[in-house]
């Protein structure tokens, strides 16, 4: 057990960042509008595609529509960008103050990252799902169990996304700009998570490869649990894999922070 | 008195990427990177006692900030040892930083969007300061530094002077035993500077906080520091009380003579005229060779004098002299 007092700094940082994120309510509102629009476009495309009889996947039309809405709602889970605050800290050298805190740098950045994904996701997903269920043929989970598994998977997805996002922030300590990582990671993640195309529409061999990678747990795993394509027995295995990946990425991140803080140089007075 | 910080033979060099200018340089650096090594610190040793208020000065690029960063545990030196508060700063960083406070004048540690008081609350939790202790300390600091009027203002809307005072308070919330101030008065107006100096002085005297102050403002040094360490080009050029520093460089005094009317003036022996403007003459002399009373008596006897003023040369002159010697 970690004593409560030791956890206090990190909880405080988490809450502070959550409060900061809730300030962007207008952004969430307009973001949701955009996601609704794109959701409708994508559903039109997939509907045309499925109605033409080209469906080789295991999902029917209703499941596909629901999947697509889930993707739209969970878009902020994706590790799309490095934390702009941390980027500024590194560029301006204010990152020295981060090292002057008597706390673990990795854990404090991880907390920020978690808040940065969790709050916008909640702020967008809930109203979007309500609108999609009421107006645009999104299905509710078929069973309570599916709903509960979905909720668990989303929490795990956020924990995983925070680990990926923190790694991207840490890369700033080595590259300073973060531009490269900001282009590569989303390109891979968008495809490998099921955000572009639901993974069950992909060729089977590709699906096998993507199944071992961590990205599918960001979107595809929660979405499949929701529509009932993965049952409880397989869910346990999927969750175990998510947790393992999260732990591995976190350990790697901590290792990099340790290395970086030994060789980091902040120039100038 | 026990020594609180012992610095032995500290050395640190940086690798700086070299790149030719223009397109050719840009392409060239893609193929072959060239690095130059710059020694920021060559061999720095000193000892500080608990309760010291030390000025650490030197020209730009001399290694001041590098030393402060190493002493605060942010930077790992190439060689040398530091024993501060019984710890090695960069090895026991998290434990160590709990007991020190650092203010970088050019950067703020406050959260930009949050009201000042919210930053204080965050720091309270980050440093695990108990609530009662925090409330007392925060109250004290608010009074001393006059922060009451803008505790609820977001940091981004503060003036530089206000922000600096808040930053100093922020660095003191967890009652550090050692305080590093890296150019705390940079860009401040005269009133804010005075306020800040007073604070630092009282912290040092009343709370016994050890203060290490780097600055380019010699008035800061004259007002605050009993001891001055001068660093130039990565080496310590001088270490001792301010008076000793003055004497070791030059025992020189300056005498300003204001004459009645525009009369001729020939300098007494062993003095030199620095400049003359109208009826004012500036002389430089060594008070050991030419005792001041004799000099003044001599001038008053042979000239029609309206006023006389004896001064020590400004500390800037002395430091500039020292820097130049250090470079040659």
């Amino acid at each position: 057990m970690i004593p409560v007092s030791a956890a206090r700094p990190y909880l405080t940082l988490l809450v502070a960042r959550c409060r900061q994120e809730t300030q962007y309510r207008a952004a969430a509102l307009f973001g949701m509008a955009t996601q609704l629009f794109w959701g409708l476009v994508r559903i039109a495309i997939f509907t045309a595609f499925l109605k033409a009889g080209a469906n080789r996947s295991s999902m029917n039309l209703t499941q596909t529509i629901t999947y697509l809405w889930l993707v739209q709602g969970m878009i902020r889970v994706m590790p799309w960008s490095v934390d702009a605050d941390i980027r500024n800290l590194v560029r301006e050298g204010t990152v020295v103050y981060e090292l002057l805190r008597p706390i673990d740098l990795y854990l404090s950045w991880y907390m920020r990252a978690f808040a940065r994904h969790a709050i916008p996701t909640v702020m967008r997903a809930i109203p979007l799902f309500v609108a999609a269920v009421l107006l645009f043929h999104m299905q509710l989970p078929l069973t309570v169990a599916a709903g509960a598994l979905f909720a668990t998977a989303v929490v795990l997805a956020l924990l995983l996304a925070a680990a990926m996002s923190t790694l991207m922030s840490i890369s700033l300590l080595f590259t300073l700009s973060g531009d490269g990582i900001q282009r590569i990671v989303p390109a891979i993640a968008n495809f490998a998570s099921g955000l572009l195309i639901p993974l069950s529409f992909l060729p089977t061999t590709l699906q096998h490869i993507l199944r071992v990678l961590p990205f599918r747990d960001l979107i595809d795993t929660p979405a499949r649990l929701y529509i009932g394509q993965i049952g409880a027995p397989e869910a346990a295995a999927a969750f175990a894999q998510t947790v393992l990946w999260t732990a591995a990425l976190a350990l790697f991140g901590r290792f990099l922070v340790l290395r970086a803080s030994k060789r980091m140089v902040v120039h100038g007075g | 008195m026990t020594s609180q910080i012992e610095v032995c033979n500290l050395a640190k060099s940086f690798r700086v990427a070299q790149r030719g200018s223009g397109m050719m340089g840009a392409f060239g650096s893609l193929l072959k990177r060239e690095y130059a090594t710059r020694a920021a610190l060559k061999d720095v040793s000193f000892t500080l006692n608990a309760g010291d208020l030390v000025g650490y000065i030197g020209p730009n690029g001399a290694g001041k900030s590098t030393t402060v960063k190493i002493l605060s545990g942010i930077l790992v030196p190439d060689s040398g040892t530091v024993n501060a508060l019984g710890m090695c700063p960069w090895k026991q960083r998290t434990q160590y930083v709990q007991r020190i406070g650092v203010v970088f004048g050019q950067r703020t540690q406050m959260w930009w969007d949050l009201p000042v008081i919210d930053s204080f609350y965050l720091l309270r939790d980050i440093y695990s300061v108990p609530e009662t202790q925090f409330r007392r300390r925060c109250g004290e600091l608010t009074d001393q530094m006059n922060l009451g009027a803008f505790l609820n203002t977001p940091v981004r809307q503060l003036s530089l002077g206000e922000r600096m005072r808040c930053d100093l308070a922020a660095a003191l919330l967890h009652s550090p035993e050692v305080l590093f101030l890296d150019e705390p008065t940079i860009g401040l107006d005269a009133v804010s500077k005075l306020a800040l100096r007073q604070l630092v002085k009282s912290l040092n005297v009343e709370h016994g906080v050890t203060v290490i102050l780097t600055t380019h403002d010699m008035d800061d040094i004259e007002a605050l520091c009993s001891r001055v360490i001068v660093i130039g080009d990565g080496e310590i050029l001088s270490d001792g009380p301010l008076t000793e520093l003055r004497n070791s460089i030059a025992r020189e005094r300056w005498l300003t003579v204001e004459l009645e009317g525009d009369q001729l003036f020939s300098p007494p022996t062993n003095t030199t005229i620095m400049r003359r403007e109208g009826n004012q003459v500036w002389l430089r002399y060594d008070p050991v060779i030419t005792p001041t009373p004799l000099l003044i008596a001599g001038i008053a006897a042979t000239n029609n004098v309206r006023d006389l003023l004896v001064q020590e040369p400004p500390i800037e002159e002395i430091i500039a002299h020292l820097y130049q010697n250090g470079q040659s």
Side-chain angles (χ1 to χ4, degrees):
Chain A
M1 272 297 286
I2 308 159
V4 182
S5 59
R8 188 169 77 150
Y10 306 103
L11 288 178
T12 303
L13 287 170
L14 179 68
V15 172
R17 187 58 200 246
C18 284
R19 281 182 55 190
Q20 188 186 333
E21 290 294 338
T22 52
Q23 287 179 358
Y24 308 126
R25 286 181 289 268
L29 192 69
F30 286 102
M32 198 191 86
T34 314
Q35 260 108 61
L36 263 178
F37 174 75
W38 279 111
L40 290 172
V41 171
R42 297 188 65 205
I43 284 167
I45 295 169
F46 273 90
T47 308
F49 179 67
L50 293 188
K51 287 212 169 135
N55 189 6
R56 298 252 173 83
S57 88
S58 50
M59 295 200 299
N60 61 34
L61 183 59
T62 335
Q63 285 176 322
T64 308
I65 289 175
T66 303
Y67 188 110
L68 291 174
W69 280 126
L70 289 167
V71 167
Q72 294 307 109
M74 289 171 58
I75 230 154
R76 286 298 297 268
V77 174
M78 298 298 290
W80 270 353
S81 58
V82 297
D83 189 334
D85 287 358
I86 294 181
R87 194 180 155 126
N88 284 339
L89 288 182
V90 172
R91 286 200 81 84
E92 290 161 13
T94 316
V95 71
V96 291
Y97 278 123
E98 297 282 299
L99 290 168
L100 286 170
R101 314 267 190 234
I103 51 175
D104 185 87
L105 185 65
Y106 180 81
L107 216 48
S108 68
W109 282 11
Y110 183 87
M111 290 294 168
R112 296 166 88 123
F114 183 78
R116 200 166 78 92
H117 289 288
I119 297 298
T121 300
V122 171
M123 284 207 302
R124 274 159 220 239
I126 291 172
L128 187 118
F129 289 163
V130 170
V133 167
L134 293 178
L135 304 171
F136 304 115
H137 310 296
M138 181 178 171
Q139 257 187 337
L140 289 171
L142 294 176
T143 59
V144 178
L149 287 175
F150 167 72
T152 315
V154 171
V155 173
L156 291 180
L158 288 169
L159 290 169
L160 173 67
M164 291 180 176
S165 205
T166 312
L167 263 184
M168 288 168 74
S169 300
I170 292 166
S171 78
L172 290 172
L173 298 177
F174 297 88
T175 65
L176 299 186
S177 89
D179 285 334
I181 211 99
Q182 212 154 220
R183 294 208 168 95
I184 290 173
V185 175
I188 299 169
N190 286 354
F191 180 73
S193 64
L195 182 111
L196 285 180
I197 303 161
L199 293 188
S200 59
F201 282 87
L202 297 175
T204 347
T205 25
L206 198 53
Q207 283 191 47
H208 286 310
I209 299 169
L210 295 181
R211 197 159 292 166
V212 243
L213 295 178
F215 301 104
R216 64 153 192 166
D217 295 333
L218 296 172
I219 301 273
D220 190 65
T221 308
R224 281 206 215 191
L225 284 162
Y226 184 102
I227 59 174
Q229 269 215 325
I230 308 177
E234 302 107 296
F239 289 169
Q241 194 187 322
T242 319
V243 171
L244 278 178
W245 264 114
T246 309
L249 293 175
L251 283 175
F252 184 51
R254 280 210 66 180
F255 163 76
L256 286 183
V257 167
L258 219 63
R259 265 197 54 152
S261 58
K262 289 222 171 75
R263 59 175 278 283
M264 183 158 50
V265 174
V266 178
H267 288 286
Chain B
M1 259 203 241
T2 50
S3 67
Q4 198 173 32
I5 298 179
E6 272 175 62
V7 179
C8 284
N9 310 105
L10 221 49
K12 175 81 189 174
S13 53
F14 298 121
R15 244 162 42 115
V16 185
Q18 302 287 300
R19 194 173 106 170
S21 61
M23 284 302 275
M24 285 305 284
F27 278 117
S29 70
L30 286 176
L31 302 173
K32 190 163 169 260
R33 273 288 179 100
E34 276 177 23
Y35 290 94
T37 311
R38 216 180 77 203
L41 295 181
K42 285 172 189 158
D43 182 14
V44 169
S45 306
F46 56 85
T47 305
L48 301 183
N49 293 325
D52 273 358
L53 206 170
V54 177
Y56 196 63
I57 60 176
N60 286 327
K64 295 189 303 294
S65 287
T66 304
T67 315
V68 169
K69 282 170 195 155
I70 291 174
L71 286 184
S72 52
I74 304 169
L75 204 61
V76 183
D78 297 339
S79 64
T81 58
V82 174
N83 184 337
L85 302 168
M87 286 180 268
C88 174
W90 57 93
K91 283 185 188 143
Q92 289 145 286
R93 188 169 58 79
T94 29
Q95 271 171 284
Y96 175 72
V97 294
Q98 177 79 42
R99 292 168 63 186
I100 64 166
V102 186
V103 177
F104 292 105
Q106 317 247 39
R107 319 181 196 279
T108 178
Q109 66 162 324
M110 318 276 287
W111 281 260
W112 201 243
D113 297 315
L114 299 180
V116 174
I117 190 74
D118 281 13
S119 279
F120 287 0
Y121 289 146
L122 279 169
L123 289 168
R124 171 197 64 191
D125 288 350
I126 287 172
Y127 284 92
S128 306
V129 183
E131 183 59 33
T132 45
Q133 192 189 323
F134 170 78
R135 242 181 267 153
R136 196 182 57 227
R137 186 79 176 167
C138 189
E140 273 174 24
L141 291 168
T142 307
D143 287 348
Q144 279 183 333
M145 308 204 196
N146 237 336
L147 308 179
F150 45 85
L151 271 184
N152 292 309
T153 311
V155 172
R156 60 168 189 270
Q157 292 179 352
L158 297 180
S159 75
L160 183 62
E162 290 166 343
R163 204 214 78 204
M164 213 44 245
R165 269 140 68 197
C166 290
D167 253 307
L168 187 58
L172 294 166
L173 284 170
H174 58 289
S175 313
E177 295 154 64
V178 181
L179 182 62
F180 295 93
L181 300 174
D182 195 5
E183 301 187 31
T185 54
I186 196 162
L188 293 188
D189 65 39
V191 179
S192 306
K193 266 186 197 176
L194 282 176
L196 200 86
R197 280 183 204 142
Q198 230 161 28
L199 273 164
V200 173
K201 192 88 197 167
S202 76
L203 273 169
N204 175 254
V205 174
E206 285 162 32
H207 299 275
V209 178
T210 309
V211 182
I212 294 136
L213 169 76
T214 80
T215 184
H216 290 294
D217 188 331
M218 293 310 151
D219 293 336
D220 286 349
I221 300 288
E222 292 212 82
L224 290 173
C225 305
S226 46
R227 177 177 162 200
V228 186
I229 299 174
V230 186
I231 181 171
D233 210 13
E235 283 169 310
I236 290 192
L237 302 177
S238 133
D239 179 357
L242 198 57
T243 43
E244 207 172 280
L245 174 65
R246 276 185 194 283
N247 293 339
S248 70
I249 304 304
R251 287 174 311 210
E252 200 173 87
R253 290 286 155 79
W254 290 2
L255 175 67
T256 314
V257 186
E258 196 181 335
L259 302 164
E260 281 297 351
D262 210 7
Q263 49 182 289
L264 275 173
F265 180 83
S266 55
T269 42
N270 291 324
T271 69
T272 38
I273 294 185
M274 291 155 64
R275 78 197 152 97
R276 174 163 187 173
E277 255 170 48
N279 55 350
Q280 287 200 321
V281 183
W282 280 266
L283 288 177
R284 139 194 305 162
Y285 65 97
D286 183 335
V288 175
I289 298 170
T290 323
T292 311
L294 291 181
L295 179 67
I296 290 177
I299 291 175
T302 51
N303 297 280
N304 204 351
V305 175
R306 189 187 289 164
D307 200 1
L308 288 164
L309 176 65
V310 182
Q311 281 173 295
E312 287 188 311
I315 187 83
E316 275 89 350
E317 295 274 328
I318 295 173
I319 299 300
H321 193 78
L322 198 61
Y323 290 172
Q324 275 159 13
N325 282 0
Q327 273 157 11
S328 60

